[in-house]
Amino acid sequence: LRDDSKENTILLENKNRLLMENQNNNIHIAVLGERNRIAREIHDNVGHLLSRSILQIGAIISVTTDETSKKLIEPLHDTLVEAMNSIRESVHDLHKESFDVNAAAKKILEELKGFDYEFKCDISRDADANVKYAFLTILKETINNIMKYCDGDFVNIMMVELEEYYQMVVEDNGVAVRTKRIEADLFNEGIGLSNIKQRIESMGGFVTFSRERGFRVFISIPKNK
């Protein structure tokens, strides 16, 4: 009865965690939708007005023969061009949701207590936002698993952006002293790893889990051209 009760408690905790992750994902999707709507409005409305103003000012400068008037108008033209460039950069950032995945990952790795680790991140700020969020979520999930089950003392984490793919590796040096039940949860029935697999496959990628020399997660996601 105690074993059944403990197992039910663990399953309930896993389900609650999955619900929270889904809620976070829904919030993230809503935020992305709002950001894209704002970006479209800025591009279609403000950007259009600035473009028209720049053309009009340019036309006025080209037909103005009075040098004094031209010198007064030209700075206005330059200011409008600068404003247009600023708008384009802002819209670009809104669409790309540019953020530093390296810094965000290091924040997550602060939770990795009692382990030495090596971390390499070579992903640009303008990389696909969905991939970056997926990598960070998966990093947190794998770190939680390592903290719970790993009997080793070292973790290697790598996130890289290649020409055609985004790839991620998380591996520890734990040996095979995990109980059969824990291994069954991790490699067959675990809600966390099943969720990772579904997430990556939904993005057109693939993930492999192995345990030859510890627990290892390898992920590869193709870039959208």
Side-chain angles (χ1 to χ4, degrees):
L1 287 173
R2 283 198 300 269
D3 288 343
D4 289 342
S5 176
K6 185 176 181 180
E7 183 177 354
N8 289 333
T9 300
I10 293 173
L11 288 174
L12 182 60
E13 289 175 352
N14 287 335
K15 288 179 180 178
N16 287 337
R17 185 174 69 248
L18 184 59
L19 285 173
M20 291 181 65
E21 288 177 358
N22 288 335
Q23 289 174 347
N24 290 338
N25 288 338
N26 290 336
I27 292 171
H28 173 58
I29 290 170
V31 170
L32 284 181
E34 182 65 12
R35 288 167 68 97
N36 287 334
R37 183 190 66 80
I38 293 171
R40 283 195 303 271
E41 287 190 359
I42 292 174
H43 179 271
D44 295 342
N45 298 327
V46 181
H48 177 70
L49 291 173
L50 281 174
S51 295
R52 189 169 65 182
S53 299
I54 291 170
L55 290 174
Q56 290 172 340
I57 293 295
I60 292 172
I61 291 174
S62 65
V63 299
T64 298
T65 56
D66 182 68
E67 290 299 322
T68 301
S69 299
K70 185 177 291 188
K71 288 181 180 179
L72 292 173
I73 297 172
E74 285 176 345
L76 176 59
H77 177 269
D78 294 340
T79 299
L80 289 173
V81 171
E82 183 179 352
M84 187 63 188
N85 291 334
S86 178
I87 288 290
R88 285 173 176 165
E89 290 177 3
S90 297
V91 169
H92 174 77
D93 287 342
L94 281 169
H95 274 305
K96 285 288 187 180
E97 194 176 13
S98 176
F99 68 90
D100 189 350
V101 68
N102 180 46
K106 287 181 178 178
K107 190 71 176 175
I108 294 173
L109 290 173
E110 291 177 3
E111 302 173 13
L112 191 59
K113 307 298 184 183
F115 291 82
D116 293 325
Y117 67 85
E118 183 175 338
F119 174 57
K120 175 185 177 182
C121 182
D122 186 16
I123 295 181
S124 67
R125 293 179 65 92
D126 291 336
D128 188 295
N130 291 326
V131 172
K132 291 193 289 185
Y133 271 102
F135 277 7
L136 292 175
T137 301
I138 291 166
L139 176 62
K140 189 169 182 63
E141 180 66 35
T142 53
I143 292 303
N144 287 340
N145 279 340
I146 289 170
M147 294 291 290
K148 287 181 181 178
Y149 304 119
C150 181
D151 63 320
D153 58 6
F154 182 79
V155 184
N156 179 51
I157 307 104
M158 181 178 68
M159 300 177 182
V160 294
E161 179 179 352
L162 306 175
E163 185 175 351
E164 300 289 339
Y165 297 92
Y166 298 102
Q167 292 185 341
M168 176 178 178
V169 175
V170 181
E171 54 188 352
D172 65 54
N173 66 341
V175 295
V177 299
R178 300 177 173 108
T179 67
K180 291 183 179 180
R181 181 60 191 167
I182 290 174
E183 288 182 353
D185 286 342
L186 277 173
F187 297 101
N188 296 314
E189 303 170 12
I191 292 176
L193 298 190
S194 175
N195 189 38
I196 290 173
K197 189 171 185 288
Q198 292 176 8
R199 178 192 290 266
I200 296 303
E201 288 178 350
S202 71
M203 302 174 71
F206 70 89
V207 55
T208 60
F209 306 110
S210 61
R211 50 177 173 170
E212 285 114 13
R213 295 182 297 275
F215 176 46
R216 185 176 191 267
V217 180
F218 173 78
I219 294 167
S220 183
I221 302 175
K223 286 186 174 181
N224 294 322
K225 296 299 184 179

